Amino acid sequence: MRGWLRWMWRQLTSMRVALLLLLLLAVVALPGAFFPQRSVDPNAVQQYFLDHPDTAELLDSLHLFDVYSSPWFSAVYLLLFVSLIGCIVPRTWVHLKNLRAEPSRVPSRFTRFEVRGQTRALGTPDEVRERLRVALGRRYRRRLASERGKAADGATRTALTISAERGYGRETGNLVFHLALVGLLVVTAWGQLVHYRGQVVLIEGDTFVNAPLDFDSFDTGSWFGPESQEPFRVRLDSFESEFTVDSQPREFIAGVTLTTTDGSTRTEDIRLNHPLETNDTRVYLTGNGYAPRFTVTDGTGEVAFSGAVPFLPTADPNYTSNGVVMVPDANDGEHQLGFNGVLLPTAAADEEGNLTGSAYPQPFDPAVVLNVWVGDLGLDSGVPQNLYLLDTTDMDQVTTTEDGTESPLQVTLRPGESAELPDGLGTITFEDLPRFAAFDVRHDPSIVWMGVFAGLAFAGLVASLFLPRRRIWVRLVEGTDGATVVSAAALARGDDPGLQRELDRVLAVLDDDRPATTEEDR
Amino acid sequence: MNSDLGDISTLLIYGAMASYVVAMIAFAVDVSALGIGAPRDRRRRAAGIGMATMWLGAGLQLVAIVVRGLAAGRVPWANMYEFTLMFTFFVVAIFLGLQTRRDVRYLGVGVSMLAFLALMLAVTVLYVEADGVQPALRSYWLVIHVSVATLATGLSGLAAMISVAQLVKARTERAGARGGRAPVTAAATSTATAEVTSGATADLGPGATATAVAETTTPKQPRATFGSRIIEALPPSANMERLAYRLNAVGFVAWTFTLVAGAIWAEHAWGRPWGWDPKETWTFVIWVIYAAYLHARVTTGWAAEKFAYFALVGFMAVLANFYIVNIFFSGKHSYAGL
């Protein structure tokens, strides 16, 4: 059993399996690019269920809509990281030992190395060695030694040696890179546990408080504590946008006032790429649109509804927006009123005056076109309702009869206009058109650490790929003529096209006097 | 005035494309001269013309990119058209830079063709008027993140081309080695050894090795065809593999930088550093493929061809990430499209 476990461990930490896992990770990450993901776009997943009802269930049971939290994806990356740790930790110990150790001994024969050098230099071996030592420079860790050997003629001769090694940073960088990846994974997981994110839609003039109840949606990690939520208030003072003539957005600016617990306030602009930063929370601008303000009176003449309702922009660049007005209090709740329809910021009409769409995203000539429903809005059933969708199952559409044909009533209103609803149902008035902005409020203490580990990983990667790891060995023997015979070899890890050049550079310090020596020889 | 500048930029791009076509023809003439048996040490006038027109094309393209930036009043790499201008420029520029240090003219046909085809696609399909950008792209991270992404694409592209040449060469080398082994003669054995040595001393430089192979392989190929003569003139596959590796290593660093800078930007813009957006997913996959390539090359004893396949798969993923993901996948990077 133990042997079997050890075999498993050895397999897992082997490079072959690590490579396999790495490739597998690439493969299992891909489905997330093809199927809509709940974490990215939950509405697209819902749409997929509507469009492909027969396959969606099956795909969902295979976690294809939550690929990155699926058991199979998790299994691959966790195994990969176990494999990585199993490989990196022993290497780290070895490397730490190497960092303290002296460079390796000079090999007995240089002929087995491809990069070699041979020269003669004036002076005693000691002097020559000193010059080479200086020439190697501080980048090299050096070990000076001497060895005794028999020369060809049988006489014992002492040779001085240098072992030099540089580029420990290559392995250090490699280890830092891999350890930083582990760090990145750990802090990401920690961030998932302690973070919170709230989403809120604010209409101009409205304020939200950074507390769970004030958000339209609020997610937290499982270690989230309410004390991590910084107390502050944000008021949306104004929202401005800028578009080109062909409706391309150029600027969105949300002017806000931030109030903190000590009562101090400051005004700021929140733009895309420019979130509002408090002490440890960030507020991002994520969306915007129009929120027409309506007043609805019911059959008794009482004001049953008054307020601004965000209309969600569609894919149309000219901000054709869909929205819903729910009036549960109309007629004492007996005949609740509902309106759904579109808002056109700059209404365009055909020759007969029928509105055809929006011509520009700015509110130059806004109009709303509403269908009218009467009945039960279904709000009291206790089932959470989508505030942007009218549930018409228990409602009847109000119709109008014109030239003997009955057709659904469509109420078209411009700001300031009112319409009388038929059958004494009441009136609806389109008061004015404030804007709304959608914000994400996020606190994630792991972000800073992610940055640190990503930076470390990058620096480590550069070091591990581009710092050369080189060893140079030199043996110096006293020549017969008072000169010193120098032989050298060099070895690098991996490809190192500059190795020969490097050895030549070191030996070149002896060059000045070599011609003289050789001439004396003659 | 701005649209005038934009038109000038487009005209310059047409000029660069014309230069690349001339270069492609010149390089093709040069290569086919080899094919019909011209000596390898002849004066390669056609290749010279090719290089000159490549320089001209690169110069025109550089000016076009700068003018485009002036016309739009921002850095000229904010949409697919401009991204293409940038990465093809990098492919050509890196090729020209390499040529100053070693002979890589064998890549000329491929480089000029890739540059021409990519630019062709850009001006016909991806073209958009030089204009400002939407608020989501208004960030200095656009300058950092996207420019390095174009550089990374250029590096991977050139490396992939070298890998293709390497694979072609390696096939004939293997066939040559087999052919040499079949008749057990002293001459064949010496050829094989010479080839091994030439591979081992490849560090001396491509020129030296090329001649070494030439001397040893020419006599044992009695029926040289058009294609075989061209392939024979390529540097040894081991040299090309090493060059591709070096480009891919730099490319990998550039991809890593793109990924990290993108995550920082995403944190600023969207409030999360990583969200498995289709573009992010693909970039992650590319990163993993190249990581696997580097690991495989450093630590396994595989044959050099296998790494080449890794690098090619990696570059195909890069192309898919650019052309397919931008156009057919909707995600937060969609504005980079058309």
Side-chain angles (χ1 to χ4, degrees):
Chain A
M1 182 65 188
R2 272 188 64 183
W4 193 71
L5 278 176
R6 188 174 301 152
W7 179 83
M8 287 257 291
W9 178 250
R10 209 171 290 151
Q11 286 298 310
L12 186 62
T13 54
S14 76
M15 184 44 91
R16 216 159 35 116
V17 173
L19 257 178
L20 206 72
L21 286 169
L22 203 56
L23 289 175
L24 205 57
L25 184 65
V27 172
V28 296
L30 268 183
F34 291 94
F35 296 103
Q37 296 297 299
R38 280 206 181 85
S39 58
V40 178
D41 191 352
N43 294 330
V45 177
Q46 272 183 5
Q47 194 57 46
Y48 196 94
F49 268 85
L50 293 176
D51 296 346
H52 312 273
D54 37 344
T55 54
E57 288 292 333
L58 177 69
L59 294 176
D60 197 26
S61 63
L62 296 172
H63 300 272
L64 283 167
F65 301 120
D66 314 272
V67 165
Y68 306 107
S69 51
S70 67
W72 39 271
F73 185 77
S74 310
V76 172
Y77 79 77
L78 287 176
L79 275 177
L80 181 64
F81 271 90
V82 169
S83 161
L84 190 154
I85 292 167
C87 174
I88 288 299
V89 169
R91 264 174 63 192
T92 308
W93 299 134
V94 170
H95 185 57
L96 287 176
K97 220 162 68 186
N98 278 349
L99 279 178
R100 283 194 303 269
E102 290 207 297
S104 60
R105 280 153 156 266
V106 177
S108 56
R109 274 189 302 164
F110 286 170
T111 41
R112 64 190 171 95
F113 299 104
E114 272 173 40
V115 176
R116 294 189 298 269
Q118 189 108 35
T119 185
R120 292 162 72 85
L122 264 185
T124 65
D126 256 326
E127 291 164 0
V128 175
R129 183 165 74 169
E130 180 55 20
R131 277 155 69 197
L132 287 173
R133 195 184 67 81
V134 172
L136 278 165
R138 269 188 305 168
R139 276 198 178 144
Y140 280 89
R141 182 176 300 184
R142 291 146 309 203
R143 168 185 184 171
L144 308 181
S146 60
E147 58 187 27
R148 230 167 238 283
K150 282 214 167 121
D153 54 7
T156 320
R157 196 177 281 176
T158 307
L160 295 184
T161 61
I162 308 177
S163 320
E165 191 160 352
R166 66 162 288 186
Y168 292 87
R170 189 183 178 91
E171 177 72 358
T172 308
N174 194 308
L175 294 170
V176 165
F177 170 73
H178 287 101
L179 290 172
L181 289 188
V182 177
L184 205 54
L185 185 75
V186 171
V187 293
T188 306
W190 173 62
Q192 285 295 309
L193 289 170
V194 297
H195 86 289
Y196 72 79
R197 177 193 290 271
Q199 285 162 328
V200 62
V201 168
L202 280 190
I203 297 161
E204 279 176 303
D206 282 2
T207 301
F208 83 89
V209 176
N210 187 24
L213 278 179
D214 238 24
F215 290 109
D216 301 331
S217 70
F218 191 68
D219 322 307
T220 62
S222 41
W223 290 0
F224 164 80
E227 69 284 352
S228 69
Q229 221 170 349
E230 199 186 347
F232 62 79
R233 254 187 351 226
V234 171
R235 194 181 104 100
L236 178 63
D237 301 323
S238 64
F239 187 86
E240 280 158 38
S241 55
E242 220 176 88
F243 296 86
T244 61
V245 282
D246 53 347
S247 306
Q248 301 285 321
R250 280 295 170 264
E251 190 74 274
F252 297 119
I253 304 172
V256 298
T257 305
L258 172 75
T259 311
T260 45
T261 34
D262 56 3
S264 65
T265 61
R266 70 171 206 258
T267 57
E268 283 236 20
D269 285 346
I270 305 181
R271 297 190 302 272
L272 290 176
N273 285 310
H274 182 82
L276 168 70
E277 297 187 31
T278 69
N279 289 336
D280 62 5
T281 314
R282 282 181 164 185
V283 182
Y284 301 84
L285 178 64
T286 55
N288 66 84
Y290 296 97
R293 192 188 309 279
F294 294 102
T295 304
V296 180
T297 60
D298 60 13
T300 64
E302 296 281 320
V303 173
F305 176 87
S306 176
V309 186
F311 273 44
L312 295 185
T314 58
D316 175 24
N318 291 320
Y319 276 66
T320 300
S321 310
N322 293 326
V324 165
V325 184
M326 295 185 199
V327 191
D329 299 335
N331 307 310
D332 293 329
E334 283 300 306
H335 296 287
Q336 297 180 325
L337 288 174
F339 303 86
N340 61 6
V342 293
L343 165 79
L344 309 169
T346 300
D350 60 15
E351 284 162 9
E352 286 150 25
N354 298 320
L355 297 185
T356 52
S358 178
Y360 199 66
Q362 299 282 24
F364 291 144
D365 179 20
V368 289
V369 181
L370 299 173
N371 300 310
V372 188
W373 300 78
V374 64
D376 182 4
L377 288 165
L379 294 179
D380 305 324
S381 63
V383 181
Q385 290 282 315
N386 185 339
L387 288 175
Y388 299 100
L389 212 65
L390 197 63
D391 180 6
T392 55
T393 40
D394 293 327
M395 301 194 92
D396 297 315
Q397 185 157 20
V398 176
T399 56
T400 178
T401 312
E402 225 171 90
D403 307 331
T405 51
E406 197 177 86
S407 60
L409 172 69
Q410 286 209 320
V411 181
T412 304
L413 293 172
R414 291 188 155 78
E417 289 181 356
S418 293
E420 189 89 23
L421 302 176
D423 308 329
L425 286 168
T427 61
I428 179 164
T429 311
F430 178 11
E431 306 282 354
D432 58 353
L433 190 59
R435 292 176 185 247
F436 76 83
F439 296 104
D440 259 23
V441 180
R442 212 217 46 221
H443 165 72
D444 186 346
S446 70
I447 294 288
V448 179
W449 292 103
M450 285 186 197
V452 168
F453 282 116
L456 277 176
F458 184 73
L461 177 69
V462 172
S464 76
L465 283 176
F466 302 126
L467 276 185
R469 175 88 185 252
R470 289 168 177 163
R471 287 176 177 173
I472 291 182
W473 297 287
V474 186
R475 184 174 280 123
L476 306 113
V477 184
E478 202 173 348
T480 46
D481 47 6
T484 298
V485 178
V486 182
S487 49
L491 185 68
R493 178 173 295 176
D495 284 329
D496 190 346
L499 189 62
Q500 182 72 51
R501 231 177 302 139
E502 174 73 354
L503 186 61
D504 293 347
R505 176 189 73 81
V506 173
L507 294 181
V509 288
L510 309 173
D511 266 357
D512 336 327
D513 49 35
R514 194 178 48 182
T517 326
T518 39
E519 263 168 33
E520 270 174 28
D521 283 351
R522 280 171 198 158
Chain B
M1 182 239 169
N2 273 0
S3 71
D4 286 351
L5 276 181
D7 291 344
I8 292 172
S9 166
T10 313
L11 275 180
L12 286 166
I13 288 298
Y14 284 132
M17 285 165 66
S19 307
Y20 295 144
V21 172
V22 174
M24 185 169 72
I25 294 167
F27 282 122
V29 168
D30 174 58
V31 165
S32 51
L34 282 176
I36 54 174
R40 208 165 304 134
D41 51 357
R42 76 201 189 282
R43 233 184 114 217
R44 295 170 62 178
R45 196 174 292 149
I49 293 171
M51 286 310 296
T53 43
M54 283 300 261
W55 277 101
L56 177 69
L60 287 173
Q61 195 173 345
L62 181 63
V63 177
I65 290 169
V66 172
V67 171
R68 173 93 186 172
L70 292 175
R74 52 168 171 75
V75 288
W77 48 81
N79 51 52
M80 286 183 77
Y81 171 71
E82 293 165 5
F83 194 101
T84 311
L85 298 194
M86 287 291 286
F87 92 76
T88 50
F89 174 75
F90 276 123
V91 170
V92 173
I94 298 163
F95 165 74
L96 292 173
L98 280 178
Q99 174 62 28
T100 60
R101 310 185 80 193
R102 57 171 77 200
D103 189 0
V104 288
R105 284 177 292 186
Y106 61 91
L107 292 173
V109 180
V111 170
S112 50
M113 186 148 66
L114 178 90
F116 173 74
L117 289 179
L119 287 176
M120 189 76 186
L121 195 62
V123 294
T124 53
V125 181
L126 308 175
Y127 182 78
V128 286
E129 290 286 335
D131 201 352
V133 286
Q134 53 174 298
L137 290 174
R138 287 207 176 173
S139 169
Y140 55 92
W141 286 105
L142 173 69
V143 182
I144 303 167
H145 168 69
V146 185
S147 61
V148 179
T150 60
L151 172 67
T153 309
L155 284 163
S156 304
L158 194 62
M161 230 168 322
I162 298 171
S163 295
V164 172
Q166 173 212 332
L167 286 172
V168 171
K169 177 76 175 187
R171 225 179 55 192
T172 52
E173 279 176 353
R174 249 178 303 138
R178 264 201 302 277
R181 216 170 289 134
V184 193
T185 60
T189 326
S190 78
T191 318
T193 0
E195 239 179 335
V196 170
T197 347
S198 78
T201 53
D203 273 323
L204 296 172
T209 13
T211 37
V213 173
E215 282 162 12
T216 50
T217 47
T218 319
K220 74 156 192 256
Q221 293 216 326
R223 277 184 295 115
T225 60
F226 184 83
S228 77
R229 288 198 199 93
I230 293 171
I231 293 167
E232 198 186 296
L234 288 172
S237 67
N239 283 13
M240 290 195 273
E241 198 278 326
R242 210 164 298 147
L243 183 60
Y245 164 72
R246 255 174 254 158
L247 289 173
N248 277 328
V250 181
F252 183 70
V253 170
W255 278 120
T256 309
F257 185 89
T258 307
L259 215 64
V260 173
I264 298 172
W265 188 8
E267 208 280 323
H268 272 265
W270 302 325
R272 85 285 188 291
W274 193 265
W276 297 109
D277 178 73
K279 193 84 178 173
E280 291 171 351
T281 305
W282 273 91
T283 310
F284 172 78
V285 167
I286 291 167
W287 190 81
V288 167
I289 292 172
Y290 279 105
Y293 162 83
L294 292 181
H295 278 99
R297 190 180 186 281
V298 171
T299 51
T300 64
W302 287 356
E305 288 105 90
K306 284 201 182 162
F307 312 133
Y309 286 119
F310 267 79
L312 284 181
V313 170
F315 184 61
M316 276 191 272
V318 170
L319 288 182
N321 193 14
F322 183 57
Y323 289 109
I324 297 176
V325 175
N326 277 15
I327 297 174
F328 298 107
F329 287 65
S330 71
K332 280 188 174 277
H333 283 80
S334 297
Y335 49 70
L338 304 171

